[in-house]
Amino acid sequence: DAGVTQSPTHLIKTRGQQVTLRCSPKSGHDTVSWYQQALGQGPQFIFQYYEEEERQRGNFPDRFSGHQFPNYSSELNVNALLLGDSALYLCASSPGQRGNQYFGPGTRLLVL
Amino acid sequence: GDSVTQMEGPVTLSEEAFLTINCTYTATGYPSLFWYVQYPGEGLQLLLKATKADDKGSNKGFEATYRKETTSFHLEKGSVQVSDSAVYFCALGPENYGQNFVFGPGTRLSVLP
């Protein structure tokens, strides 16, 4: 049984560019949450998707957007990248919005 | 809003030493409490959890007890191993729909042989 998978593993972009990160949830999970983890800090909640809709959102600007597909996989899009967007982006899936969250290995984004 | 405070790291111990990592929280209700572990270069793994007051979560020799009166969820292990070296995160789980997980800043543990 595959766990949560994310792609790509690493990414380098320049300021002003746009990026798309992808996540496939654990089998049987229908909810995907995205987190940003800056170096040396705990994960910060970005948003959560359930039934293809954004259900909750943390304190992140509109440059951060997402999507959930009918197969429950999800994308995180970040527009107009800033240096401060450099971080590890974690995807977590769960069975329902309040279920235990299982994390993927993350995508490390570096903005130059 | 809800928040989690953890003891600052890094924590450095010798193999077989006793481990305590303190965690206290602020919450308006009675959330579930979690400990996650992050090994170098990896994502977070659920270590243990407790869903109500006085519950004890345990896994792989680690344990933590949900103390409502002191709003704490301290992580303990009687004898640490080198392989326990990682960053440990305390977290609040959502109590109601519309809430989300809140993580502490993490505590780095280094265990020396």
Side-chain angles (χ1 to χ4, degrees):
Chain A
D1 173 29
V4 180
T5 60
Q6 293 185 242
S7 63
T9 56
H10 295 81
L11 205 50
I12 300 175
K13 292 286 188 179
T14 57
R15 281 180 296 174
Q17 286 189 309
Q18 178 264 346
V19 68
T20 297
L21 311 181
R22 296 176 176 81
C23 171
S24 292
K26 183 178 170 63
S27 178
H29 289 186
D30 57 6
T31 303
V32 173
S33 301
W34 286 92
Y35 293 83
Q36 180 193 67
Q37 186 180 16
L39 196 62
Q41 298 182 23
Q44 298 294 313
F45 175 76
I46 302 175
F47 42 54
Q48 182 184 75
Y49 277 83
Y50 172 70
E51 291 187 335
E52 300 180 50
E53 290 189 13
E54 182 182 297
R55 300 292 179 167
Q56 303 173 47
R57 190 177 183 91
N59 188 27
F60 280 81
D62 291 345
R63 297 187 297 109
F64 290 77
S65 63
H67 189 77
Q68 185 179 36
F69 299 93
N71 67 354
Y72 308 123
S73 66
S74 176
E75 288 182 350
L76 163 66
N77 300 292
V78 186
N79 294 322
L81 284 167
L82 304 174
L83 296 180
D85 295 331
S86 295
L88 179 67
Y89 288 85
L90 296 166
C91 167
S93 72
S94 57
Q97 294 174 266
R98 293 172 59 194
N100 288 350
Q101 297 198 345
Y102 291 79
F103 284 80
T107 294
R108 189 163 296 281
L109 172 65
L110 177 61
V111 181
L112 301 177
Chain B
D2 295 354
S3 66
V4 176
T5 302
Q6 292 181 232
M7 64 187 291
E8 287 190 26
V11 173
T12 303
L13 296 173
S14 298
E15 205 165 23
E16 300 184 1
F18 184 86
L19 168 71
T20 299
I21 299 178
N22 290 338
C23 169
T24 57
Y25 66 90
T26 301
T28 53
Y30 303 101
S32 296
L33 301 176
F34 299 78
W35 277 101
Y36 280 84
V37 58
Q38 187 174 36
Y39 297 101
E42 299 184 11
L44 277 69
Q45 298 178 24
L46 177 62
L47 182 58
L48 54 83
K49 74 172 195 178
T51 59
K52 61 183 187 296
D54 300 325
D55 267 3
K56 177 184 286 188
S58 61
N59 185 27
K60 299 180 182 180
F62 292 90
E63 59 182 34
T65 301
Y66 191 161
R67 301 288 189 196
K68 189 178 71 172
E69 63 277 12
T70 55
T71 62
S72 64
F73 192 55
H74 303 324
L75 181 68
E76 296 181 337
K77 186 176 185 183
S79 177
V80 293
Q81 305 301 312
V82 172
S83 58
D84 294 327
S85 298
V87 181
Y88 293 81
F89 294 93
C90 184
L92 304 179
E95 183 184 8
N96 298 303
Y97 292 105
Q99 298 175 328
N100 57 77
F101 274 76
V102 177
F103 284 85
T107 302
R108 180 175 298 278
L109 170 66
S110 294
V111 181
L112 305 178

